[in-house]
Amino acid sequence: MSPLLVFSIIAGYFLILLVISYFTSGKADNATFFTANKESPWFLVAFGMVGATLSGVTFISVPGEVGNSNWTYLQFVMGNMVGYGVIALILIPLFYKLNLISIYEYLRNRFGQKAYLTGSSFFIISQTIGASFRLFLAALVLQIAFFDTFEIPFFVTVLTTILLIWLYTFRGGIKTIVWTDTLQTTFLLLAVIISMYIILNHLELSILQMVKVVSESKMSDIFEWNWRSDRNFFKTFLAGIFITIAMNGLDQNVMQKNLTIKRTKDAQKNILWFAITFFIATVLFLTLGILLYKFAFDTGITIPDSTDDLYPMLALNHFGIAAGIVFLLGITAAAFSSADSALTALTTSFCVDILDLPSRKAKGQQKTRLAVHLGFTALMFCVIMVFNQINDSSVVNAVFKVAGFTYGPLLGLFSFGLLSKKQVKDKFVPLICIISPIICVILDLNSATWFYGYSFGFEILLVNALLTCFGLFMIRKSTISKNNYGT
């Protein structure tokens, strides 16, 4: 694929995003940026959230991972469905009742200012690292596909992409994101479907024959019952539930989109329909994984050492120009649909939670928000460059994994607040929320030695949350909150 063609695809894509931004950000103010004036159609939010949830990491990794762990990832997604049910039935009504801009305002109402700032800070840390990591992977693809040809340095690639994101989000914020996410989800799903269609044509398979190939493949095995495995069904299913609650229901990035919907019932419908669409999309990714391996085996193509390289290698080098174009659009859409909403959510959380911007005088609010938005853009650029300097995938993945531990305290804080009426000594909450993930990192590193070969998987998040709840119980007061919401 020629560099000029790659440039045309990426430039055309961003031009569409800028046009959407122009039409959605007219007369935009802080309320538009933070809540889209609560005018978003629920079905649009539901569809757009698929693209934001299926990040560039998922787009590249899930199909390739089929060769390592079959369809066991679907166990995790089954747990996700239960988690989304909890979000729709419990968290959505709570957040709407309290009329929140940032969901971490609940922690101030329930426990106090220290808990509130702790929750928001943990989100900011984890979201900055996570979003930067996903954008880093996308920038690497663009570097190889286009910028390397002209010997353009990687930092220019990163700076260009992140400034483009800033350009189409800095005015409309979440209102723009709702619409751009819809476009990006469309490109992402089209990329998968068209890739599958091209493979079927190459292999001369019909849809019915494809279903037979997938069902008969060893790679389509879903369930793992070995209790020592980090893919054990019970561990993975439970982890799917609680990770969804923590990383979706207790994540400002995701919940900010839900809070742009006017009515509680519509927001609940949004979550449930999103869950169904997300499940179908995951099955498509897993099906694509089997087809990619079958194509490679049947045509004698060597499987790369890193399974993450399988889909990009085949799409860009073996499926033809059309498939390469679709793949580039898909990976770009997947990466930027998560990065742009993360940038908006980080700006919102910092402005509302840390600066308490809504309580300030109207004059200067918008300038402050713009400065924060630009500041997080610069911060993400710096984090991406650090990832590039490390230049060690195992170290980068370790950093990304550590960032995931910060969701455990959030899950513990909200769980203790909802399931207990106890008040806590607020000044000790930050200490509890720091100690819990540290203990979990130690457990994760030594579990195989200490627990007879048992290896922690996703369920380490639940352990993290339980430790946080135990710590909060230990610093409880004798008084109780006025009701289950702590308000």
Side-chain angles (χ1 to χ4, degrees):
M1 187 181 297
S2 72
L4 182 60
L5 179 59
V6 174
F7 175 78
S8 300
I9 293 166
I10 303 302
Y13 178 78
F14 275 106
L15 181 61
I16 295 173
L17 294 180
L18 289 171
V19 170
I20 292 174
S21 174
Y22 175 79
F23 284 106
T24 56
S25 60
K27 298 180 180 179
D29 55 14
N30 280 349
T32 305
F33 188 96
F34 296 144
T35 67
N37 305 113
K38 290 191 176 292
E39 294 175 347
S40 299
W42 69 266
F43 49 86
L44 204 69
V45 177
F47 185 69
M49 281 173 59
V50 175
T53 304
L54 293 170
S55 66
V57 178
T58 305
F59 186 81
I60 292 176
S61 296
V62 169
E65 182 60 24
V66 168
N68 297 324
S69 56
N70 305 327
W71 274 27
T72 54
Y73 180 67
L74 204 60
Q75 300 174 129
F76 178 73
V77 179
M78 292 174 184
N80 292 163
M81 299 303 102
V82 178
Y84 288 126
V86 173
I87 293 171
L89 298 175
I90 297 176
L91 294 181
I92 290 291
L94 168 64
F95 296 151
Y96 269 80
K97 178 178 181 178
L98 298 177
N99 193 28
L100 304 179
I101 297 176
S102 165
I103 62 174
Y104 308 113
E105 292 175 278
Y106 165 81
L107 297 176
R108 177 178 56 197
N109 298 338
R110 181 63 178 85
F111 298 121
Q113 187 70 12
K114 290 289 197 308
Y116 173 41
L117 294 176
T118 299
S120 179
S121 298
F122 270 55
F123 162 74
I124 289 171
I125 293 168
S126 57
Q127 192 65 215
T128 300
I129 295 174
S132 299
F133 181 67
R134 290 187 286 270
L135 197 56
F136 168 69
L137 293 180
L140 283 178
V141 173
L142 294 177
Q143 184 72 25
I144 294 168
F146 173 72
F147 289 92
D148 274 346
T149 304
F150 299 98
E151 299 183 352
I152 296 173
F154 183 67
F155 83 88
V156 176
T157 306
V158 176
L159 187 62
T160 301
T161 52
I162 204 165
L163 283 178
L164 284 168
I165 290 175
W166 184 84
L167 277 174
Y168 74 81
T169 59
F170 83 99
R171 289 185 63 195
I174 195 64
K175 185 175 182 179
T176 298
I177 296 301
V178 167
W179 288 91
T180 56
D181 275 1
T182 301
L183 175 72
Q184 292 172 151
T185 297
T186 302
F187 279 127
L188 187 151
L189 295 180
L190 278 177
V192 176
I193 293 169
I194 292 174
S195 295
M196 291 170 62
Y197 174 77
I198 290 171
I199 294 174
L200 293 181
N201 272 351
H202 273 288
L203 300 177
E204 298 182 347
L205 294 175
S206 66
I207 298 295
L208 290 177
Q209 289 172 324
M210 179 196 74
V211 173
K212 184 178 180 182
V213 166
V214 171
S215 62
E216 292 179 353
S217 173
K218 177 72 175 174
M219 293 182 185
S220 64
D221 290 348
I222 298 173
F223 299 103
E224 170 62 68
W225 303 109
N226 180 4
W227 70 273
R228 286 190 176 93
S229 171
D230 61 357
R231 293 280 175 175
N232 173 269
F233 170 77
F234 297 105
K235 292 195 292 184
T236 309
F237 181 77
L238 287 173
I241 296 173
F242 291 102
I243 282 181
T244 297
I245 295 171
M247 299 184 72
N248 289 273
L250 306 180
D251 186 299
Q252 178 68 19
N253 185 7
V254 177
M255 293 309 295
Q256 188 172 0
K257 298 184 183 77
N258 291 279
L259 296 176
T260 66
I261 300 168
K262 188 172 185 178
R263 297 189 306 168
T264 304
K265 288 185 177 180
D266 285 341
Q268 290 175 305
K269 282 193 292 186
N270 158 62
I271 286 292
L272 295 175
W273 279 104
F274 155 70
I276 294 170
T277 308
F278 174 72
F279 187 88
I280 294 171
T282 303
V283 172
L284 285 176
F285 272 98
L286 294 171
T287 300
L288 174 63
I290 291 178
L291 294 178
L292 290 173
Y293 279 98
K294 180 171 177 56
F295 179 88
F297 293 146
D298 288 2
T299 55
I301 296 172
T302 303
I303 303 296
D305 293 334
S306 172
T307 57
D308 283 358
D309 296 335
L310 179 63
Y311 187 19
M313 178 192 72
L314 294 178
L316 295 173
N317 301 318
H318 298 280
F319 289 168
I321 292 178
I325 292 173
V326 167
F327 173 80
L328 280 176
L329 284 172
I331 185 62
T332 304
F336 292 110
S337 63
S338 55
D340 55 17
S341 58
L343 185 57
T344 303
L346 286 166
T347 302
T348 300
S349 183
F350 194 86
C351 286
V352 175
D353 301 331
I354 307 300
L355 301 181
D356 196 17
L357 196 61
S359 68
R360 295 187 180 185
K361 294 181 180 179
K363 185 179 180 180
Q365 279 193 15
Q366 193 149 338
K367 287 185 178 179
T368 301
R369 189 253 297 166
L370 287 172
V372 171
H373 196 226
L374 188 59
F376 274 108
T377 303
L379 178 60
M380 286 178 66
F381 171 78
C382 293
V383 174
I384 291 170
M385 296 313 299
V386 169
F387 281 145
N388 189 52
Q389 286 301 311
I390 292 173
N391 200 25
D392 184 329
S393 60
S394 61
V395 174
V396 172
N397 284 323
V399 172
F400 187 54
K401 185 175 182 179
V402 168
F405 281 105
T406 60
Y407 282 97
L410 284 176
L411 181 59
L413 283 167
F414 277 86
S415 297
F416 191 85
L418 289 168
L419 300 176
S420 164
K421 293 184 178 181
K422 292 288 184 182
Q423 289 285 8
V424 300
K425 298 173 183 176
D426 185 46
K427 64 180 179 180
F428 294 116
V429 170
L431 181 62
I432 297 298
C433 291
I434 291 171
I435 291 175
S436 296
I438 290 175
I439 293 174
C440 285
V441 170
I442 295 171
L443 287 174
D444 187 59
L445 292 174
N446 297 281
S447 62
T449 303
W450 292 351
F451 306 120
Y452 306 99
Y454 180 89
S455 177
F456 278 111
F458 296 123
E459 79 280 4
I460 192 69
L461 174 78
L462 183 57
V463 177
N464 198 347
L466 289 172
L467 286 171
T468 302
C469 285
F470 177 75
L472 294 174
F473 180 78
M474 295 301 293
I475 60 169
R476 70 192 184 279
K477 294 179 179 178
S478 58
T479 55
I480 62 173
S481 65
K482 296 178 181 178
N483 56 47
N484 287 336
Y485 301 133
T487 57

